[in-house]
Amino acid sequence: MYNILIAKYGEIGVKGKNRYIFENKLIRNIKNMLKSVGEFNVYKEYGRIYIDVDDSNYETAIEEVRKVFGVVGVCPAIKREKDYELLKETALFLLKNKIEAGNKTFKIASKRGDKSFHLTSQEMSIDIGGYVLTGINAMEEEMYTSAKVDVKNPDVVITCEYRNEHILVYADSVSGFGGLPLGTNGKAMTLLSGGIDSPVASWLVAKRGVDIEAVHFHSYPFTNERSQEKVRELAKILSKYCGPIKLHMVNILDIQKAIAEKCNEEESTILSRRFMMRIAQEIGKKRYCDALITGESIGQVASQTMQGINCTNAVVEIPVFRPLIAMDKVDIIKTAEEIGTYETSIIPEADCCALFSPKKPVTKPRLERLEKSESKLDVEELVKSAIENSTMEVIEF
Ligand code: ATP
Ligand code: MG
């Protein structure tokens, strides 16, 4: 019954003169997202984005389109040639269908896209409402005749549009994630661990239209191949939303060994974090990233106290985005489940941080102390060597 999807977008509608750039990006991103499920015609008409579908593919298409950043909702609709009588008949057809699906009260909402049409939107609603009511009242089954109009709190709203180019009738809207089209807000380097938090943090920033590259730190052969595989899998899930992701793999075993050898055990986590930030920033700069992303959240673990965060932050000069900073773990998990990373994140694999992790980590590290500890290390050389030995791979869905 449905032959078209309407992709509704939010914020990009207010971008003034740049609006078409955002719309075109959005169309391209929708096309890309749909590639995995088939060939679709995606196009713009009078400030709307449409996707042609049929009964066989509209549900899978909705599932994909709703994942595109910038899309706030997707409506499966019936499109017919521009004819007001046909609009009324189609409204009745869809209403009957919705009553069969269990809806008991309804309302007709109308939009007059064609301003030359003799009825206003409100007059259209009254007229179409009368038509469909007569239609269902004339039917035999009680299911139809008992359906009632309820303008305040209807079970279903049948929207009827009389547009310049055609008519549209629809009732449902599947919500999207919102945000801004990918590729409209620069690029950031995300520190991607195998945990629950950093994939969510990466996704949240990407949702604002930011392209992302990722860096992962491991301690191979102390951490195994599988823990790297897990991160690849997480990057793959993210790439569904973000497009192909360049994943930099950095071995920090030598750094961890140097820290273990020369510094206080209780500072080891925070010191290795500082190295991660330095390395991420260096690789990020080379890759034209203007910010870093981490999954830190105030107070979540010993290294994420206010003082801990200040100390890791002190080694970088580009901005660090921490979208989870004020989020509770339960809410982070909820998002992880929604975007599909949770199941992979909870697979138990050794993380490089677990290695050499202190029994009693400092919770209120002091910058001067850390700097003093680091003065025993050749920080520059350790960073340089880790970057030289890093690898880059492209992860695609
Ligand atoms: P996550 O669930 O993201 O691993 P976490 O709660 O375990 O976070 P930490 O281990 O303190 O927190 O790490 C804080 C942040 O530092 C992570 O969210 C991530 O951005 C970064 N990070 C930690 N370990 C790694 C790693 N091995 N590779 C890349 N980034 C890392
Ligand atoms: Mg972690």
Side-chain angles (χ1 to χ4, degrees):
M1 116 177 126
Y2 298 116
N3 57 2
I4 196 166
L5 302 182
I6 309 167
K8 295 190 167 166
Y9 44 91
E11 277 180 67
I12 69 166
V14 298
K15 295 284 174 193
K17 272 196 292 198
N18 290 332
R19 183 182 163 127
Y20 78 98
I21 299 174
F22 283 77
E23 287 171 337
N24 292 346
K25 271 258 161 65
L26 191 57
I27 289 173
R28 205 175 322 143
N29 295 348
I30 291 174
K31 279 185 182 158
N32 275 339
M33 188 68 93
L34 283 167
K35 259 189 201 149
S36 61
V37 293
E39 277 278 321
F40 288 87
N41 188 22
V42 185
Y43 52 101
K44 187 166 69 170
E45 231 171 58
Y46 292 95
R48 275 276 185 82
I49 292 174
Y50 295 115
I51 301 109
D52 288 335
V53 291
D54 58 44
D55 282 335
S56 75
N57 63 15
Y58 84 93
E59 279 168 320
T60 43
I62 289 174
E63 260 321 295
E64 297 306 300
V65 177
R66 67 179 284 271
K67 291 196 197 114
V68 177
F69 295 147
V71 172
V72 295
V74 191
C75 303
I78 304 170
K79 173 175 115 171
R80 296 269 183 276
E81 71 266 25
K82 193 174 165 185
D83 180 310
Y84 185 61
E85 284 310 308
L86 195 56
L87 180 61
K88 296 203 267 192
E89 285 166 26
T90 311
L92 178 59
F93 170 77
L94 186 58
L95 175 63
K96 272 158 59 182
N97 182 279
K98 288 291 158 193
I99 291 172
E100 285 153 20
N103 296 286
K104 294 189 166 54
T105 57
F106 69 95
K107 168 184 163 178
I108 299 290
S110 305
K111 285 183 188 161
R112 181 182 64 162
D114 174 0
K115 298 298 173 206
S116 68
F117 187 55
H118 70 280
L119 296 177
T120 64
S121 298
Q122 208 164 16
E123 288 165 347
M124 274 171 66
S125 291
I126 295 166
D127 186 44
I128 300 170
Y131 177 89
V132 298
L133 213 48
T134 311
I136 54 171
N137 281 335
M139 302 195 66
E140 284 182 359
E141 293 93 329
E142 206 245 325
M143 169 175 65
Y144 300 109
T145 52
S146 65
K148 299 235 164 2
V149 173
D150 180 349
V151 290
K152 286 227 173 77
N153 190 23
D155 293 340
V156 62
V157 178
I158 306 284
T159 304
C160 303
E161 297 194 7
Y162 189 83
R163 299 182 65 86
N164 285 314
E165 64 280 25
H166 48 240
I167 59 159
L168 288 172
V169 179
Y170 53 93
D172 304 315
S173 180
V174 180
S175 63
F177 291 117
L180 295 169
L182 208 64
T184 55
N185 267 316
K187 186 160 79 167
M189 179 65 73
T190 185
L191 284 81
L192 190 64
S193 72
I196 296 169
D197 305 325
S198 49
V200 173
S202 313
W203 184 87
L204 283 170
V205 174
K207 188 155 86 74
R208 296 302 301 170
V210 178
D211 278 321
I212 56 170
E213 281 197 21
V215 55
H216 175 68
F217 301 97
H218 62 87
S219 321
Y220 189 79
F222 274 70
T223 52
N224 59 27
E225 256 303 318
R226 285 197 314 277
S227 73
Q228 289 178 49
E229 245 344 282
K230 181 182 169 186
V231 174
R232 288 191 185 99
E233 183 55 33
L234 287 170
K236 191 173 165 191
I237 298 167
L238 289 175
S239 75
K240 178 81 203 172
Y241 303 93
C242 309
I245 293 177
K246 295 199 175 75
L247 175 62
H248 304 264
M249 290 288 195
V250 183
N251 192 326
I252 54 163
L253 185 56
D254 287 343
I255 293 174
Q256 289 175 306
K257 279 181 179 164
I259 293 172
E261 203 177 297
K262 305 229 169 79
C263 309
N264 282 339
E265 194 212 1
E266 55 179 21
E267 291 173 350
S268 60
T269 304
I270 197 96
L271 288 174
S272 65
R273 268 293 175 285
R274 280 162 62 89
F275 273 95
M276 288 184 188
M277 298 296 273
R278 290 184 179 103
I279 293 168
Q281 170 169 268
E282 280 315 304
I283 300 177
K285 277 183 184 166
K286 278 195 206 130
R287 302 286 318 155
Y288 305 101
C289 295
D290 292 318
L292 300 179
I293 304 166
T294 75
E296 288 161 304
S297 171
I298 301 173
Q300 202 191 76
V301 289
S303 58
Q304 296 178 31
T305 58
M306 192 88 80
Q307 294 85 346
I309 290 172
N310 284 341
C311 288
T312 46
N313 202 56
V315 293
V316 291
E317 67 247 11
I318 62 175
V320 180
F321 297 152
R322 299 177 176 88
L324 314 185
I325 198 71
M327 275 172 81
D328 292 347
K329 195 76 182 187
V330 284
D331 296 319
I332 299 170
I333 289 174
K334 227 182 269 167
T335 309
E337 285 172 334
E338 219 179 330
I339 66 176
T341 53
Y342 184 71
E343 290 301 321
T344 305
S345 288
I346 57 171
I347 297 171
E349 285 302 344
D351 179 57
C352 69
C353 307
L355 196 70
F356 307 111
S357 87
K359 280 181 220 74
K360 215 176 138 289
V362 277
T363 52
K364 289 186 183 163
R366 296 224 333 257
L367 195 54
E368 316 82 70
R369 288 234 186 112
L370 298 178
E371 283 168 353
K372 201 165 157 222
S373 298
E374 282 172 353
S375 68
K376 297 177 209 154
L377 307 169
D378 189 345
V379 173
E380 213 173 299
E381 183 50 37
L382 286 167
V383 168
K384 194 169 149 244
S385 157
I387 293 174
E388 274 169 10
N389 293 315
S390 70
T391 57
M392 186 187 89
E393 44 199 282
V394 181
I395 308 286
E396 266 177 282
F397 197 81

